[in-house]
Amino acid sequence: DAGVTQSPTHLIKTRGQQVTLRCSPISGHKSVSWYQQVLGQGPQFIFQYYEKEERGRGNFPDRFSARQFPNYSSELNVNALLLGDSALYLCASSRLDPTPGNTIYFGEGSWLTVV
Amino acid sequence: DAKTTQPTSMDCAEGRAANLPCNHSTISGNEYVYWYRQIHSQGPQYIIHGLKNNETNEMASLIITEDRKSSTLILPHATLRDTAVYYCIVRAYSGAGSYQLTFGKGTKLSVIP
C-alpha cells in the first residue's frame, strides 16, 4: 500500500506569494496532520483534521490555513510568505479518531524555500 | 512543549545493540511514549510506541520503567542505515480532541563501522 504522499516535493516561492501544499493520506486513514520543520529543529505541529473538521491548531499565524476534502486528502495554504516560512512541511495520517494510541505515519514532506 | 529529555548524541558500533534512553518524568497515566527516527531530509519514520508494557516489533524494542518515568529504545543489531535522529515523544492531549506529537531535539545516533 502507498504511504502518505505529498506534492510538490520541492518548490521555491518569493516573499509575499502564496503556496498550496497537498497531501494524500494512507488508504483508510481519516485523520491528517500538518507539521513544519525548520532546519535543525524537530517538527512543529500546525493543524490536525479528522473527518473534514479541524481538531487541533498549533501556534501559527492566521496566514496558515488548511482543509480536508471528502476523500480525506488535505491542503495546507500559506499566504503572504516570509523568509522564515522556509522549511520542510510534513503531512501525517492516522487511521481513526486521533486518540493517543493510534499510530501516526508521516510523508516525505514538501521542501519550501522562500526567497 | 516537549516533555522528554534525551542525550544530544550517541555512538554505536555496527552490529551491536543501540540503547537510546529517554526521560519523561512528568508523564501522565494515559499518555503514550512514541519513538520516531528521521534520516536526513526525509520524513519521520515511526518505530514503536507503548503505554506501560514493554513492546517489541520488527524494528526495535521499547522498555518502559515500572514508574513510567523513563524508557529505552533498543535497536538489537545496529547497521549503518540506522544512523539518524531519534525522537522520543510523549503523546499528550492538546485540546479539541487532538493528540498531537510534540517533538524535541532528539538524539543523533551515529553507527560506526
Side-chain angles (χ1 to χ4, degrees), chain B residues 11-15 80 83 110-113:
Chain B
D11 292 339
C12 178
E14 188 177 18
L80 298 180
T83 292
S110 298
V111 180
I112 312 300

Side-chain angles (χ1 to χ4, degrees), chain A residues 4-5 8 20 34 53 72-73 82 93 95 108:
Chain A
V4 179
T5 57
T20 298
W34 287 94
E53 291 188 2
Y72 304 108
S73 67
L82 304 174
S93 75
R95 183 180 297 276
E108 292 301 324

Side-chain angles (χ1 to χ4, degrees), chain A residues 33-44:
Chain A
S33 301
W34 287 94
Y35 289 76
Q36 179 198 63
Q37 186 173 23
V38 174
L39 203 61
Q41 299 183 17
Q44 274 197 294

Side-chain angles (χ1 to χ4, degrees), chain A residues 35 37 41-43 45 48 55-56 90 98-108 111, chain B residues 30 32 34 36 38 41-44 46 49 87 91 95-101 103-104:
Chain A
Y35 289 76
Q37 186 173 23
Q41 299 183 17
F45 173 74
Q48 182 174 47
R55 298 294 293 271
L90 295 159
T99 56
N102 289 327
T103 303
I104 294 177
Y105 297 93
F106 284 84
E108 292 301 324
W111 282 100
Chain B
N30 66 342
Y32 282 72
Y34 277 78
Y36 285 80
Q38 190 171 27
S41 300
Q42 298 181 16
Y46 167 76
H49 73 278
Y87 295 100
R91 190 173 179 192
S98 174
Y99 290 87
Q100 70 195 50
L101 297 170
F103 288 80

Side-chain angles (χ1 to χ4, degrees), chain B residues 36-87:
Chain B
Y36 285 80
R37 72 181 182 184
Q38 190 171 27
I39 298 169
H40 184 60
S41 300
Q42 298 181 16
Q45 179 187 21
Y46 167 76
I47 302 174
I48 199 166
H49 73 278
L51 182 61
K52 58 179 70 174
N53 298 320
N54 297 338
E55 302 287 345
T56 296
N57 62 20
E58 65 278 4
M59 288 185 66
S61 294
L62 173 60
I63 309 298
I64 303 174
T65 58
E66 192 168 343
D67 63 7
R68 302 211 322 123
K69 292 185 177 181
S70 65
S71 60
T72 301
L73 178 74
I74 302 172
L75 308 177
H77 305 286
T79 71
L80 298 180
R81 287 175 294 185
D82 292 322
T83 292
V85 177
Y86 287 76
Y87 295 100

Side-chain angles (χ1 to χ4, degrees), chain A residues 24-80:
Chain A
S24 292
I26 294 171
S27 178
H29 286 196
K30 298 182 178 181
S31 177
V32 170
S33 301
W34 287 94
Y35 289 76
Q36 179 198 63
Q37 186 173 23
V38 174
L39 203 61
Q41 299 183 17
Q44 274 197 294
F45 173 74
I46 310 176
F47 286 110
Q48 182 174 47
Y49 278 78
Y50 176 70
E51 289 282 15
K52 302 179 289 295
E53 291 188 2
E54 183 182 301
R55 298 294 293 271
R57 173 184 287 253
N59 188 24
F60 281 81
D62 292 343
R63 300 185 295 108
F64 289 76
S65 63
R67 55 180 175 170
Q68 187 177 33
F69 299 99
N71 66 353
Y72 304 108
S73 67
S74 178
E75 287 183 350
L76 175 70
N77 295 283
V78 186
N79 294 322

Side-chain angles (χ1 to χ4, degrees), chain B residues 6-28:
Chain B
Q6 299 178 253
T8 303
S9 63
M10 294 180 62
D11 292 339
C12 178
E14 188 177 18
R16 305 297 293 266
N19 296 277
L20 290 87
C22 179
N23 286 321
H24 31 79
S25 58
T26 61
I27 193 169
S28 299

